[in-house]
């Protein structure tokens, strides 16, 4: 069946192990479940402002378009990667640059 | 995504609506309560989930315009219609309903 995931241009994907270990080291975690654009974009940009270079911000979301729109919104401020749970939960990993 | 979907300016959408041109599908993908609070005249409401369900079977108009809150998720939704639907031209409305409500609708009310 057609899925918005098919046409969403998300960044490189993390393996389950990578995602789990990085998640435990995250400097900030934002729960964006149930939120839709543009709120997650705004929160990601705000969150990154308070972090130092190399720090990691992770957003958890169930809104697939965010996996493309949030990394695009933060632009060069962060290196982005994504993790897909396989059952509708996604995490966006933003490492501050 | 190489060669991303087209975008259309909210002012251009208004001009078509004002000219009585309903030869295109106008789809609002925001949440239901946002749509109830206010939407572009003639827009039908389909959430992203509903769009996924109907996009392949539905007989679309030749032209489709999709809008969301600020014109970002509508890009992915327009890609979905372009990929799976039978429309000839699909566009995302730049700036979404926010741009419509701030820039276009006041003008419409002033006419």
């Amino acid at each position: 069946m057609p899925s918005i995931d098919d046409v969403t241009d998300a960044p490189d994907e993390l393996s389950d192990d990578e995602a789990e270990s990085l998640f435990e080291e995250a400097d900030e975690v934002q729960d964006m479940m149930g939120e839709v654009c543009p709120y997650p974009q705004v929160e990601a940009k705000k969150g990154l402002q308070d972090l130092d270079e190399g720090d990691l911000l992770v957003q958890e979301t169930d809104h697939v378009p965010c996996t493309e729109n949030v990394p695009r919104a933060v632009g060069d401020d962060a290196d982005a990667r994504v993790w897909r749970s396989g059952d509708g939960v996604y995490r966006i990993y933003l490492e501050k640059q | 995504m190489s060669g991303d979907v087209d975008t259309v300016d909210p002012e251009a959408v208004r001009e078509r609506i004002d000219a009585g041109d309903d030869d295109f599908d106008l789809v609002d993908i925001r949440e239901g309560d946002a749509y109830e609070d206010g939407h572009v005249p003639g827009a039908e409401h389909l959430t992203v989930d509903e769009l996924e369900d109907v996009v392949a079977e539905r007989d679309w108009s030749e032209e489709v315009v999709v809008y969301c809150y600020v014109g970002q998720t509508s890009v992915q939704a327009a890609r979905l219609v372009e990929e799976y639907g039978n429309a000839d031209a699909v566009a995302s409305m730049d700036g979404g309903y926010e741009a419509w409500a701030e820039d276009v609708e006041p003008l419409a009310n002033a006419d």
Side-chain angles (χ1 to χ4, degrees), chain A:
Chain A
M1 191 176 96
S3 162
I4 200 81
D5 210 337
D6 306 338
V7 292
T8 297
D9 196 13
D12 293 346
E13 196 166 337
L14 291 165
S15 68
D16 292 345
D17 293 342
E18 285 172 315
E20 209 44 49
S21 69
L22 282 170
F23 189 68
E24 283 155 18
E25 300 165 15
D27 299 280
E28 180 173 349
V29 176
Q30 296 179 341
D31 178 3
M32 291 291 131
M33 298 296 283
E35 302 293 349
V36 296
C37 301
Y39 179 66
Q41 286 93 309
V42 174
E43 288 304 298
K45 287 161 91 166
K46 270 196 303 189
L48 283 172
Q49 281 171 2
D50 300 334
L51 297 182
D52 298 322
E53 186 177 325
D55 284 354
L56 179 65
L57 183 151
V58 179
Q59 270 194 2
E60 199 150 65
T61 181
D62 53 0
H63 188 60
V64 177
C66 280
T67 62
E68 175 181 353
N69 296 333
V70 168
R72 178 181 292 144
V74 304
D76 296 334
D77 290 347
D79 181 45
R81 284 176 291 176
V82 72
W83 172 71
R84 289 179 165 80
S85 69
D87 56 10
V89 176
Y90 301 77
R91 289 190 195 137
I92 306 164
Y93 289 70
L94 300 169
E95 182 181 339
K96 179 135 184 198
Q97 298 300 290

Side-chain angles (χ1 to χ4, degrees), chain B residues 23-46:
Chain B
D23 233 1
F24 65 107
D25 288 338
L26 180 58
V27 179
D28 180 329
I29 59 167
R30 296 174 302 150
E31 290 153 309
D33 47 12
Y35 177 82
E36 295 308 329
D37 287 348
H39 56 267
V40 177
E44 65 178 295
H45 182 240
L46 282 171

Side-chain angles (χ1 to χ4, degrees), chain A residues 4 6-7 9 41 68, chain B residues 1 52-53 72 76 79 84:
Chain A
I4 200 81
D6 306 338
V7 292
D9 196 13
Q41 286 93 309
E68 175 181 353
Chain B
M1 295 270 155
E52 289 174 328
D53 293 339
Q72 292 190 32
Q76 283 95 24
R79 287 181 197 150
Y84 291 102

